[in-house]
Amino acid sequence: MGKVLSHCPYCALQCGMAITAEAVISPRSDIPANAGGALCQKGWTAAELLTSGERLTTPLLHGRPVSWETALDHVAGRLSEIRAEHGPDGVAVFGGGGLTNEKAYQLGKFARVVLGTSQIDYNGRFCMSSAAAASSRAFGMDRGMPFPITDLAEADVVLLAGGNVAETMPPFVRHLNGPRLIVVDPRRTATAKLAWLHLQPTPGTDLALALGLLHLAIADGLVDEEYVAARTSGFDAVRTSLASWWPERVERITGVPVPRMRQAVRALASADRGIVLTGRGAEQHAKGTDTVTAFINLALALGLPGREGSGYGCLTGQGNGQGGREHGQKADQLPGYRKIDDPAAREHVARVWGVSPEDLPGPGRSAYELLDALGTPEGPRALLLFGSNPVVSAPRSGHVTDRLRALDLLVVADIVLSETAAMADVVLPVTQWAEETGTMTNLEGRVLLRRQAVRPPDGVRGDLEVLQGLAKRFGHAFSADPREVFDELRRASAGGLADYAGITYERIEKEKGVFWPCPSPGHPGTPRPFLDRFATPDGRARFVAVEHRPAVEEIDEDYPLYLTTGRVLAQYQSGAQTRRIAPLAEAAPEPFVELHPDLAGELEIGAGDLVRVTSRRGEGRWVARISDAIRRDTVFMPFHWEGANRLTNPALDPVSRMPEFKVCAVRVERVA
C-alpha cells in the first residue's frame, strides 16, 4: 500500500504520520516532535472520523438537504441584503486555530476584500493570545517556542507553568526525560506527577508566584547581571517594582511554601541550560499577559532567552495555533504578523491583493467581544463560522448561544453537526485533514505540509472551495488551489515578522519543515531567532514591570470554591471530533467534577454522585470524582463537553482580550 506523509489533525505538536488510501495510520520517525515514532491515542485513532457515519455530506438549509448551488446562492444573497441594510460590519467572520495557513489567510482576505468587514476574529484568541502579547512586547516577536523542541531534552531544568502535556500532547513528554522538571499547577496532574518539583498555587495567583520567584532571584544574588546589561532594557524599573513581593507575602497569597519557591529559583539559576514554558493554565486569565510577562522577566533575569539550549517558550495548543495567528484571521492583523493599523503594512498587503489600502477596514472586535455583540443593534447580524464550536468553547457559553440565536443569518462550515452547526441556518459540509492539502505551523514555528491522502466523501467541498464559491458570487476571483493560495501568502507575508517568502511545498517536504522567518529561497530558515538580537528596534529584550491583582471573581460565602478547567487525555478541544471516535468516547465518556476528599466529605458527596455546580453565569449537573490531586478549595472540570463553559468568566485581559477561563467562583451541591 502506498503511503502519504502527513501530520496529525490535533494538537500543535503536529506529530508526523503516514496514511494509506485505505486510511491506515502509522507514525513517522523523521519529524522531531514525535521522534521515535510516538503517537498518542488521539493520533492513532484519527482516521476513524474519516469514515464516521456522522460526517456531513450535503449542505443543509434550515435543516433540509439542498444542493451546493442553492446553499451558496442563499448565503450570498442574505449577506448582500444584510450588508445593504447594516453596512459591511453587519456581517462577521469567525475562524479557528485548526485551519491550515492557506485557509486562515484566505479567510482574512475574504472578510476584508469581499465583505469589507472589520468584524473577524478566531478561537485562537481563547488559547495563545496572552503569551503572544507578552512575547511581542518583551521580544518584539511572538513565535511560541523560539527554539527547536529538541532543545528541551538537552536542558538541565525546565519550568512549566500551567501546562499538562502528559495529557494534552503526550509525545511531548519524551522531550522532558532529560531535564529536571518543575511544574506549576493547582492540580497534581499527570505532568506534575512526573516533576522533580511541583508548585501548587491557588488558582489565579500564578502572577504573584512569578513575582515572588524573581524577588528571590534578586535577593539571593542569582541575576545574570552581565546578560541583563548587554541584552535587555528596563530591569531597574522591574527591580524596584518587586520590592514588596517578599517570599512570605507570596506564600500567603499563593499557598506555595517559601522553601519550594527558593528551590525552584536556585535550580533554574544554577542550570547551564534552563527553559521556562507557559501554557493555558497561566495564560487564560484577565491578567494573563502580565502573568506571562512576569515569567519572561524571570527568564530574562536569569539570562535564558537568546541562548542556545535555553529560553522562554509558550506551548501553543491548537494544531495551527501558531500559523493561525500570523496571517490575518485576527481582528487586528494582516498577513505576516503585520498590524492592520500600520500604513506600510496596509500598503504592502493591499498591493498583493490588488486593492487600495484605503479600502481595507481597520481593527475589529476581539473574539469574545465579537460573539457578545452578535445580533445586537450595534453588532453584526450575520456570522460565517469556520473551524470553531463556540457553543461549547466560549466563556459564558449560555449567553453566547443566545447571541447566536439572535442572528439573522448563521452559516457554519464543519465536518460534523457540532453543537454550533446544529443552530445554523446554513451548514456547509467540508473536508478534513487527510482529505486535503495544506500547511500547518507547529509550536516551534516549523512550517509543515499535510498532503491529501484519501478522497473526501461525495458531496463535500474544501473550505477554500467554499470561499471561492462565495467570492465569485460577489464578483471576486479566489483560488481554491492550496499551493496557489500558499504562494500568494508567501508574497503577502514577505517582509513581515512571520516571513514565509522563502518557504515552498518542495522545501517543506525535503527539509521536514522550515522555520520562519525565511525571507528568501536561499535562506536556511530560523530555528532560533534570538541568538544575536531580539526583534525589538534596539535588539534588546524588554523587561516590563507588572503587578499582581486578584482574580476578577474571588470566592465568597455564596460561591465558596474556585473552579478551574482543562483537558483530559482522550478528548480534544470542544470534542466535536473526539467524542465521535468510539475508542476515545469509551476512554472518556462523560464530563465530571473533580473534588478533594476533604471537600467531598464536608459536602457529603461520594464518587459517582450527581452534583450541581453553580456560578454567577449558569449551572449544570455532573458526576463527581474524588481525588487528592486537587486543592481542597478548588474543583476541576474538563471543557470538552457542553456545560463547563456556561460557568466560566468572560472578563477580558486588557491587552490580549483573553477571557478568564481558568478561575471563577462556584458553589457545589449534591443533587438529592
Side-chain angles (χ1 to χ4, degrees), residues 168-191:
T168 60
M169 45 179 69
F172 189 98
V173 174
R174 291 190 172 202
H175 300 280
L176 299 176
N177 289 335
R180 285 191 289 180
L181 178 63
I182 303 167
V183 170
V184 179
D185 201 299
R187 299 172 66 222
R188 193 173 70 253
T189 62
T191 307

Side-chain angles (χ1 to χ4, degrees), residues 328-413:
Q329 63 173 336
K330 282 180 66 182
D332 57 353
Q333 189 189 79
L334 290 172
Y337 224 126
R338 289 179 163 90
K339 301 293 289 183
I340 199 168
D341 55 2
D342 175 4
R346 294 171 66 85
E347 182 177 351
H348 171 83
V349 174
R351 188 165 55 248
V352 174
W353 287 350
V355 300
S356 168
E358 291 75 26
D359 292 337
L360 295 178
R365 295 176 172 94
S366 72
Y368 181 76
E369 291 166 302
L370 175 57
L371 295 172
D372 184 46
L374 296 176
T376 64
E378 303 302 319
R381 306 298 307 179
L383 178 67
L384 303 183
L385 191 146
F386 291 76
S388 190
N389 187 16
V391 168
V392 175
S393 62
R396 197 186 174 197
S397 59
H399 171 72
V400 169
T401 300
D402 290 340
R403 299 272 38 89
L404 292 167
R405 288 196 183 104
L407 287 167
D408 296 332
L409 177 69
L410 174 60
V411 181
V412 175

Side-chain angles (χ1 to χ4, degrees), residues 157-245:
V157 177
V158 172
L159 184 149
L160 171 56
N164 181 18
V165 292
E167 294 194 79
T168 60
M169 45 179 69
F172 189 98
V173 174
R174 291 190 172 202
H175 300 280
L176 299 176
N177 289 335
R180 285 191 289 180
L181 178 63
I182 303 167
V183 170
V184 179
D185 201 299
R187 299 172 66 222
R188 193 173 70 253
T189 62
T191 307
K193 291 175 183 176
L194 302 174
W196 168 73
L197 180 64
H198 177 204
L199 309 182
Q200 196 170 9
T202 301
T205 64
D206 304 81
L207 175 49
L209 177 62
L211 296 175
L213 295 176
L214 183 48
H215 179 107
L216 279 169
I218 294 170
D220 292 357
L222 302 176
V223 173
D224 187 333
E225 300 284 358
E226 183 178 345
Y227 170 95
V228 168
R231 300 210 59 189
T232 74
S233 63
F235 181 60
D236 287 344
V238 168
R239 188 198 304 264
T240 300
S241 72
L242 289 165
S244 64
W245 289 99

Side-chain angles (χ1 to χ4, degrees), residues 597-607 609-611 669-671:
D598 291 348
L599 176 62
E602 179 184 319
L603 299 177
E604 299 182 346
I605 292 171
D609 284 353
L610 192 63
V611 300
E669 306 156 287
R670 182 175 178 272
V671 176

Side-chain angles (χ1 to χ4, degrees), residues 143 445 499 502-503 507 511 513-529:
R143 203 186 80 185
D499 191 334
I503 304 175
R507 279 195 67 180
E511 300 173 29
V514 181
F515 289 96
W516 70 260
C518 183
S520 64
H523 191 281
T526 314
R528 300 177 182 88

Side-chain angles (χ1 to χ4, degrees), residues 481-505:
D481 180 273
R483 183 189 291 267
E484 291 180 3
V485 176
F486 187 73
D487 285 343
E488 184 178 299
L489 179 159
R490 292 168 57 208
R491 296 195 301 275
S493 72
L497 285 171
D499 191 334
Y500 283 33
I503 304 175
T504 64
Y505 280 17

